[in-house]
């Protein structure tokens, strides 16, 4: 039996109308930041989607389009952009290790007159230079999964540690006798991978019956018992919605947490639909406190 701790998550960052970052903001930790809201509460707390300034357009840069997660995130951007009449240009680096290429793309988007920039950094640091450039150009920046820029004013994405906690709880419930486990981590040095791994290790160790025998980065094959789905299309929709609400002047919290769920053969049908069907299931989960 193999259980893969999903590493291709997505999460997103919302942008700020004012300066891209402020000296009085603590370095962002998207998992522990208290100024936060769940994606399911956006409309209830901030009302219907607002009217935008004429000619609003969005630019987005991702890790790579060779990974299905990031392609799906772009689908979410396009879906919400089409729904609201906002053009979205979505570009990505050639690979998940192309840090300089990603920075070059982001710099180009800043100079091309976009009203908002959504970024999914390769690492926590490779897009830091874009923050000052965007500030000078008065272009708000949105950090969208899964690495986290410490200076970011807003983040839209998953609670990464919870990804690992969900998997550990599955083991504790379904393997009560314990045993030896090995972890296939995500990309080394990336915030999301570190948080997911820590969530899993801490939770499963506290159960007292499991021995973590190995934990190594993996860049995958094999049969899965389950995975944590981060719903990248919906994440893209929520990310762009949050960013555009900020463009319209709404004062959103620093973190907007997007949905995720542990998927196994027992519940796969519930989350196998698309669009509004998945949104409905996840809204029901949120209402039930899952």
């Amino acid at each position: 039996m193999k259980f893969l701790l999903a590493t291709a998550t997505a999460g997103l960052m919302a942008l700020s109308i004012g300066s891209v970052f402020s000296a009085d903001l603590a370095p962002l930790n998207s998992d522990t930041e208290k100024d936060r809201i769940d994606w399911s509460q956006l409309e209830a707390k901030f009302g219907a989607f607002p009217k935008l300034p004429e000619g609003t357009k969005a630019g987005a840069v991702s890790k790579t389009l060779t990974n299905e997660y990031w392609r799906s995130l772009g689908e979410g951007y396009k879906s919400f952009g089409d729904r609201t009449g906002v053009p979205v240009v979505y570009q990505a680096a050639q690979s998940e290790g192309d840090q300089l290429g990603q920075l070059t793309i982001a710099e180009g988007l800043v100079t091309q007159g976009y009203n908002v920039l959504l970024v999914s950094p390769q690492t926590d640091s490779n897009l830091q230079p874009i923050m000052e450039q965007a500030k000078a150009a008065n272009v708000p920046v949105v950090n969208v999964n899964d690495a986290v820029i410490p200076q970011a004013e807003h983040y839209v994405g998953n609670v990464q540690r919870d990804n690992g906690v969900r998997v550990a709880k599955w083991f504790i419930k379904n393997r009560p006798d314990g045993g030896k486990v090995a972890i296939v981590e995500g990309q080394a040095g990336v915030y999301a991978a570190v948080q997911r791994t820590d969530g899993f290790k801490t939770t499963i160790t506290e159960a007292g019956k499991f021995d973590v025998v190995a934990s190594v980065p993996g860049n995958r094959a094999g049969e899965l018992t389950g995975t944590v789905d981060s719903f990248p299309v919906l994440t893209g929709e929520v990310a762009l919605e949050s960013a555009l609400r900020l463009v319209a002047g709404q004062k959103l919290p620093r973190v907007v947490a997007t949905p995720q769920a542990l998927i196994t053969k027992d519940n796969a049908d519930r989350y196998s639909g698309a669009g509004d069907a998945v949104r409905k299931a996840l809204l029901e989960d949120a209402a039930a406190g899952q």
Side-chain angles (χ1 to χ4, degrees):
M1 179 208 70
K2 297 182 181 178
F3 201 116
L4 180 64
L5 178 59
T7 58
T9 281
L12 343 142
M13 202 172 214
L15 59 87
S16 164
I17 265 291
S19 63
V20 174
F21 61 90
S22 302
D24 59 349
L25 282 177
L28 179 63
N29 183 318
S30 60
D31 280 13
T32 61
E33 174 62 51
K34 292 181 177 168
D35 183 22
R36 66 190 308 115
I37 189 175
D38 189 74
W39 72 282
S40 61
Q41 300 174 304
L42 277 173
E43 186 166 347
K45 292 201 171 183
F46 294 95
F49 188 74
K51 183 177 181 179
L52 297 169
E54 190 72 25
T56 297
K57 59 181 182 178
V61 57
S62 191
K63 285 189 171 185
T64 177
L65 297 182
T66 62
N67 184 310
E68 183 179 358
Y69 177 87
W70 302 111
R71 294 197 302 271
S72 297
L73 184 73
E75 291 176 17
Y77 289 156
K78 184 178 186 304
S79 172
F80 196 82
D82 289 346
R83 194 182 313 165
T84 56
V86 174
V88 180
V89 169
Y90 184 52
Q91 300 178 357
Q94 293 186 358
S95 71
E96 294 203 20
D98 185 14
Q99 298 181 28
L100 181 58
Q102 190 188 43
L103 176 60
T104 301
I105 292 170
E107 289 173 338
L109 290 173
V110 169
T111 64
Q112 292 170 26
Y114 290 92
N115 305 95
V116 35
L117 179 63
L118 300 98
V119 299
S120 300
Q122 299 277 8
T123 71
D124 298 349
S125 61
N126 77 297
L127 292 188
Q128 284 186 4
I130 204 66
M131 305 301 283
E132 283 291 352
Q133 180 184 348
K135 179 181 179 181
N138 198 29
V139 176
V141 178
V142 178
N143 194 163
V144 181
N145 260 2
D146 53 16
V148 178
I149 302 171
Q151 298 98 331
E153 283 193 352
H154 294 276
Y155 173 91
V156 182
N158 307 123
V159 178
Q160 307 292 356
R161 192 174 187 278
D162 183 57
N163 188 301
V165 170
R166 287 170 184 260
V167 176
K169 287 182 175 179
W170 184 95
F171 272 96
I172 293 167
K173 178 181 178 181
N174 292 277
R175 298 293 183 268
D177 294 332
K180 296 180 178 181
V181 296
I183 302 171
V184 180
E185 305 171 9
Q187 185 178 358
V190 173
Y191 173 84
V194 172
Q195 291 295 98
R196 295 172 196 154
T197 302
D198 179 69
F200 179 83
K201 280 183 177 178
T202 301
T203 305
I204 207 161
T205 300
E206 288 174 350
K209 295 184 178 181
F210 292 89
D211 181 20
V212 178
V213 297
S215 183
V216 295
N219 294 325
R220 275 177 185 87
E223 297 180 358
L224 304 181
T225 299
T227 185
V228 176
D229 194 339
S230 300
F231 305 101
V233 175
L234 181 55
T235 295
E237 293 175 352
V238 174
L240 186 56
E241 176 183 354
S242 300
L244 295 176
R245 282 180 179 272
L246 288 165
V247 169
Q250 295 186 352
K251 306 298 182 183
L252 270 60
R254 194 175 187 188
V255 170
V256 176
T258 53
Q260 56 189 350
L262 180 64
I263 311 298
T264 67
K265 64 180 181 181
D266 297 324
N267 66 3
D269 288 345
R270 175 174 170 77
Y271 302 103
S272 62
D276 290 341
V278 171
R279 182 183 287 265
K280 180 175 181 292
L282 291 167
L283 286 172
E284 290 172 353
D285 289 350
Q290 296 180 10

